[in-house]
Amino acid sequence: MRNQRIFPGIILLGFGAYFFLQQSGFTALQPFYSWPTLLIIVGAAFLIQGYGARDYDSILPGVILTGFGLHFHVVNRLEIWPDHIGTFILIIALGFLLRHQKTGAGLFQGILFLILAALLLFYDRVAEWVGLLENGVSDVWQLWPILLMLIGLYFLLVKKK
């Protein structure tokens, strides 16, 4: 019975503290009075539910919400932080991998998202390294989304024996 009360308890405690500090005029935390902080609170509640109550399916949304909230706080404060779709995919990959650590499910998706994030984040370096900037090969390289769609169709249509 206690396990079902962890998530709403953390949500109410976190939101209450957030709004209390905001209304009290506590200026030291002024940069954190924004919607990404609310994402972090909800994500932390999922993570505490996942690890504390052993509800391991809550780990994935916890990592995603906490990661997105942290990203939106950090992206405008650190020059080296990438503001790229690959960052979001990397956070999702981390969520799948952490959930796999506890449940044994989602390893394939985690690795797939991790590879996709690496390709997106380091596309320029990968393209230079492989030498795909040649005219003939770069035309073929533009068709890689079609390859992703074909692989996706394969997974959807081919039955496992």
Side-chain angles (χ1 to χ4, degrees), residues 122-133 141:
F122 304 109
Y123 175 76
D124 295 336
R125 292 183 189 134
V126 169
E128 285 179 26
W129 184 67
V130 177
L132 292 177
L133 297 178
W141 182 248

Side-chain angles (χ1 to χ4, degrees), residues 27 36 39 44 63-65 80 100 112 140 143 153 159:
T27 58
L39 280 180
V63 170
I64 291 172
L65 290 172
I80 62 169
H100 167 73
L112 185 68
V140 175
L143 300 176
L153 281 173
K159 302 273 186 211

Side-chain angles (χ1 to χ4, degrees), residues 4-161:
Q4 295 174 349
R5 296 170 32 178
I6 291 175
F7 181 76
I10 297 295
I11 292 287
L12 291 172
L13 186 66
F15 277 32
Y18 173 84
F19 290 118
F20 175 75
L21 289 172
Q22 188 177 30
Q23 286 181 351
S24 68
F26 190 64
T27 58
L29 298 176
Q30 189 67 32
F32 298 105
Y33 297 146
S34 60
W35 64 270
T37 303
L38 298 175
L39 280 180
I40 293 170
I41 292 169
V42 174
F46 272 113
L47 286 173
I48 292 169
Q49 176 73 24
Y51 285 108
R54 294 187 178 138
D55 178 14
Y56 299 129
D57 288 330
S58 296
I59 293 173
L60 179 62
V63 170
I64 291 172
L65 290 172
T66 304
F68 283 14
L70 288 172
H71 168 76
F72 289 122
H73 271 302
V74 173
V75 72
N76 294 325
R77 290 180 175 83
L78 290 177
E79 282 291 320
I80 62 169
W81 192 266
D83 188 15
H84 192 275
I85 188 69
T87 308
F88 296 110
I89 295 174
L90 181 64
I91 292 168
I92 294 169
L94 180 63
F96 273 110
L97 293 173
L98 287 174
R99 189 185 70 167
H100 167 73
Q101 184 182 25
K102 292 294 185 181
T103 64
L107 179 63
F108 176 74
Q109 293 91 341
I111 291 174
L112 185 68
F113 279 123
L114 188 63
I115 291 169
L116 183 61
L119 286 174
L120 289 172
L121 285 170
F122 304 109
Y123 175 76
D124 295 336
R125 292 183 189 134
V126 169
E128 285 179 26
W129 184 67
V130 177
L132 292 177
L133 297 178
E134 302 293 328
N135 287 338
V137 180
S138 67
D139 292 338
V140 175
W141 182 248
Q142 292 177 355
L143 300 176
W144 71 270
I146 295 172
L147 178 64
L148 287 178
M149 292 188 303
L150 290 174
I151 294 170
L153 281 173
Y154 172 79
F155 283 127
L156 289 174
L157 300 177
V158 175
K159 302 273 186 211
K160 198 172 188 180
K161 293 180 184 178

